[in-house]
Amino acid sequence: MSYIVTGACVDCKYTSCVEVCPVEAFHETPDRLLINADDCVNCDACVPECPVEAIYAEENVPEEMHDWIEKNQDAENFPKLGEPKDALKGPKCVNPNAG
Ligand code: F3S
């Protein structure tokens, strides 16, 4: 079991989740974050921090978002993000005014 970043993160990349993660489980792609299941300790700290509600415990990922479980398995192929940074808020961000 791990936690999963889903599509709402795409182009928003607020990184407030990174600030509270105790184990640096987040990896950064150009337009989203992913969680490395090998590092995630299932602490739940990141879920309430995400202003666009992009993060779910794996067993709570809604059916229509299940493809994101596999996408997060790719996390190791991208660099770790250990510190929060300015949000991306790109044109596809579901809510650029959320955080
Ligand atoms: Fe993405 Fe939400 Fe984190 S938008 S970067 S999962 S705080």
Side-chain angles (χ1 to χ4, degrees), residues 10-92:
V10 174
D11 239 13
C12 288
K13 213 159 73 163
Y14 279 108
T15 77
S16 1
C17 49
V18 173
E19 189 156 15
V20 298
C21 181
V23 294
E24 296 191 3
F26 288 91
H27 291 241
E28 180 183 25
T29 84
D31 67 352
R32 74 200 73 174
L33 297 193
L34 300 170
I35 293 175
N36 186 337
D38 290 340
D39 292 332
C40 178
V41 291
N42 305 307
C43 71
D44 208 52
C46 57
V47 171
E49 293 304 317
C50 177
V52 292
E53 300 179 1
I55 307 174
Y56 295 85
E58 189 172 332
E59 69 265 27
N60 295 335
V61 176
E63 189 70 38
E64 67 275 17
M65 300 179 191
H66 269 191
D67 54 326
W68 284 93
I69 296 172
E70 200 179 326
K71 287 178 186 175
N72 278 250
Q73 288 166 2
D74 227 15
E76 267 186 344
N77 295 326
F78 297 94
K80 229 175 216 305
L81 184 65
E83 297 287 333
K85 56 198 266 191
D86 287 346
L88 177 61
K89 295 187 186 180
K92 290 187 203 146

